[in-house]
Amino acid sequence: MMNSRFRFLVQSALAGASIASASSAVARQSVDETGFAGAGDVFDAAELVPSAASALPPILPGQEPGARGREGTPGAREGDAPREWFGESPWLGWSRATGDWGGSRTALEELGIDFNGSLVSEWSRILEGADAQRSGFRFLFDANLALDLGRLAGLEGAGVFLDFQTANAPVGGAAVDGFQAYSNISIDGSITQLSQCWYEQWLLDRALRVKIGKVDANSEFAYIGSAGAFINASAGFTPAIFAFPTYPDPSTGVNLFVYPTDAFYAGVGVYDGGAAVDGIATGALGPAGFFDDEDSDDWFVVGEVGTTLANAGPFDQARIAAGFWWHSGEFARFDGGTEDGTTGFYALAEARAWRPAGDLAEDDERGLWAFLQFGSADDAVSAVAMQFGGGVTMRGTFAGRDADAFGVYASFVEPSGDPLAGFSGDETVIELFYEWAVTPSLSIKPDIQWISNPGAAGGDDAIVATLRCTVAF
C-alpha cells in the first residue's frame, strides 16, 4: 500500500510539472532561442560563465533549502501568535502583507497547506566604469505552495512543493561584463514558469531523504545560508560551477541524502543537464527531457558531504561541506580541441561567530555570521579556474533593530591560465549592504559593489549601486 501510494504521488508530481511547464515554455522560448551562448553539440563554456552566473539563494518566503540534519519536513506554523488580521493585530506587525486572510490561512496551515509569496524589485545604476550612468530595473515575483502530506494524508515525512515564478530581469544597459553577476535575479530576458515541482520523502527514521521532480539544485547543493542576504550571485554559489541547474533554469532531478549521525550528511543529485550545452530552457519544461534524449543526452551530477556542529569552540551553528560535480556534455577547449565532460570542486564553511547574551530561541538568528567559499573548475574549458569568497553578516544591527542586517562580502576569481584564453589579471568583487526591515513583511536594501577588472579583460573598474525592495505576502 505504501509503495503504490509513493509511486502515485511521485508520478503525480512529475506529471504536474510537465503540464504546468508546457504553457510556460512559449513565454521563455523567444528569449532562449538566442539567449544561450554557444548552444550546440560542442559548447564553449567560457561564454556560459558570465551569462549564467545568476543564482537565487533559497531565501524567499517558503523557499527552504534541503535539510542538513534529521529535523525532517518543516511543519506548518501553528496559530499561537495573535492573528494577523484587521482588528486583531496592527498591520505594521504582520509577517506577511496579506495577513492570514481572515483566519483561512491559519486554518490551511494547520491542515498542512502553506502558501507563501514575494515580490523582489530593484533598480541598479553603474556609477563608475565603461558604462557609467546607465541604469536598469528588474523584478521577480514568486508564489509557492508546500503540502505536508503527513498532516494531509497520513504519509509521515512526505511533502510536495510547487513554485511559480515570473520575472522581467534584464541586465540591459546596466551590464557589467564580469564573471560575477552583481544581481542574483538578473537574467537575459524574462520568464514565466513553474520553476519547481517536487516530491520529498523521509525514510528509515529520518536517516534517508529522497527528493524527486523539478528542483533548483542550489537549494540542495553548494548553498550558504548565512550568505543569503547578499545580492551578488557568487554569494549564492561559486561561479566555478558554471553548468549548475539553478535559477532561472532548474531541471528535473533525483536527489538522495543520508544522515548516518545527527552531525553528518552526504548527498548526491542527478539532473537533466540540457540547459548548459544544448541551450534547452529546462526552467520552462517538465520532466520529459530527463527521460528522453531526443533533444539532449546530457547529465549534471553533483555530490556533497558535510558536518553540522551546534557548538564549535567560540562558534555555534557551524557547517563545513565539500562537493564535486560533473557535466557529461562535450565542451570546447581554449586550445581548439574538445573535451568529453568536465568536472569541478567546491568547499564552504559557515558559522555564527557572536550572539547576543542570554537564551535565544531556536529560530533567533541574531548575531554575527561568517562564511568562506571556494570553487575550482577545469581551466582548459572554464573561464573561471578558481574562486575564493568570504563575508560577514550582522543580523540585528542596533538596539530595537533586531530584523535589520548589514553585510560585507569579498570574492576573488582567478580566470583560466591557458595562454589562448586571453584573460588579463584577476577579477575582484567587494559588496556592502544594509537591509532595513520597514515592517516584518517589507524590507529595503541599499547595496553597493566594486568590481575590479570585470571579466579579467583589463578594462575599467566598475561601481554599481542597487536599491532592492522585497515584499512578502
Side-chain angles (χ1 to χ4, degrees):
M1 182 69 175
M2 175 69 77
N3 290 338
S4 62
R5 180 185 292 181
F6 181 84
R7 285 196 302 271
F8 171 75
L9 290 168
V10 171
Q11 292 167 356
S12 298
L14 291 175
S18 179
I19 294 171
S21 297
S23 61
S24 65
V26 175
R28 185 70 187 282
Q29 183 178 8
S30 61
V31 173
D32 291 325
E33 283 177 350
T34 59
F36 280 83
D41 294 334
V42 179
F43 183 68
D44 186 351
E47 297 180 9
L48 176 62
V49 175
S51 64
S54 295
L56 188 69
I59 57 170
L60 297 177
Q63 296 276 8
E64 296 292 338
R68 291 301 179 264
R70 294 182 176 182
E71 64 269 27
T73 305
R77 289 180 291 272
E78 302 288 352
D80 296 332
R83 178 169 292 169
E84 295 181 354
W85 198 243
F86 301 104
E88 309 237 355
S89 63
W91 180 83
L92 291 177
W94 293 3
S95 61
R96 292 165 294 190
T98 59
D100 72 351
W101 310 335
S104 299
R105 189 175 206 161
T106 300
L108 289 172
E109 289 174 351
E110 291 173 351
L111 289 173
I113 304 172
D114 196 1
F115 171 83
N116 284 281
S118 61
L119 175 65
V120 180
S121 58
E122 65 183 26
W123 175 84
S124 300
R125 187 171 181 84
I126 302 176
L127 303 180
E128 290 188 14
D131 294 316
Q133 307 312 312
R134 294 191 176 185
S135 60
F137 175 81
R138 58 191 71 88
F139 74 86
L140 168 66
F141 171 86
D142 181 279
N144 56 74
L145 182 68
L147 305 178
D148 182 346
L149 298 185
R151 298 188 181 199
L152 281 170
L155 188 57
E156 292 302 320
V160 169
F161 183 76
L162 306 171
D163 183 39
F164 169 81
Q165 292 181 329
T166 183
N168 185 8
V171 177
V176 175
D177 295 326
F179 299 119
Q180 307 174 87
Y182 65 80
S183 171
N184 55 13
I185 70 169
S186 66
I187 53 178
D188 188 14
S190 61
I191 58 171
T192 299
Q193 63 191 29
L194 185 67
S195 290
Q196 296 191 70
C197 179
W198 48 256
Y199 174 86
E200 182 179 67
Q201 178 70 62
W202 287 82
L203 300 165
L204 304 178
D205 195 24
R206 302 201 183 279
L208 174 66
R209 179 170 63 90
V210 180
K211 181 182 287 186
I212 182 172
K214 189 176 178 183
V215 178
D216 188 319
N218 192 208
S219 69
E220 292 290 340
F221 300 94
Y223 85 88
I224 306 174
S226 57
F230 294 95
I231 73 171
N232 188 280
S234 291
F237 68 87
T238 170
I241 315 177
F242 61 82
F244 217 15
T246 184
Y247 170 88
D249 281 305
S251 68
T252 300
V254 177
N255 299 273
L256 178 68
F257 277 77
V258 295
Y259 307 87
T261 70
D262 291 339
F264 179 81
Y265 71 89
V268 63
V270 180
Y271 290 85
D272 180 355
V277 176
D278 298 309
I280 297 173
T282 55
L285 299 177
F290 185 76
F291 301 101
D292 183 5
D293 62 359
E294 180 179 347
D295 296 319
S296 173
D297 58 359
D298 294 331
W299 300 88
F300 181 86
V301 181
V302 58
E304 181 176 306
V305 296
T307 183
T308 58
L309 302 171
N311 294 286
F315 305 102
D316 72 337
Q317 298 191 37
R319 171 173 161 250
I320 301 173
F324 175 86
W325 61 270
W326 169 72
H327 193 287
S328 66
E330 189 173 4
F331 295 86
R333 296 171 57 94
F334 289 113
D335 62 11
T338 60
E339 191 161 310
D340 189 12
T342 190
T343 61
F345 170 82
Y346 66 89
L348 59 92
E350 61 177 333
R352 180 160 52 182
W354 175 86
R355 53 182 285 170
D359 294 330
L360 300 185
E362 185 177 350
D363 60 350
D364 191 334
E365 297 185 344
R366 288 179 300 158
L368 181 66
W369 295 79
F371 65 92
L372 295 170
Q373 62 180 164
F374 168 76
S376 67
D378 181 1
D379 70 348
V381 301
S382 174
V384 173
M386 286 191 294
Q387 181 259 349
F388 304 86
V392 293
T393 301
M394 185 68 179
R395 296 176 178 172
T397 54
F398 305 102
R401 303 304 308 170
D402 290 349
D404 286 7
F406 168 79
V408 181
Y409 172 65
S411 179
F412 169 84
V413 162
E414 179 180 315
S416 171
D418 190 299
L420 297 178
F423 296 115
S424 173
D426 308 310
E427 178 186 279
T428 301
V429 169
I430 297 178
E431 175 184 2
L432 293 88
F433 78 86
Y434 188 94
E435 184 168 28
W436 174 38
V438 183
T439 73
S441 64
L442 170 64
S443 68
I444 296 176
K445 182 185 300 182
D447 179 280
I448 191 162
Q449 296 179 47
W450 172 67
I451 306 170
S452 173
N453 192 22
D460 296 336
D461 294 353
I463 297 177
V464 183
T466 300
L467 183 64
R468 173 175 289 189
C469 176
T470 302
V471 181
F473 56 86

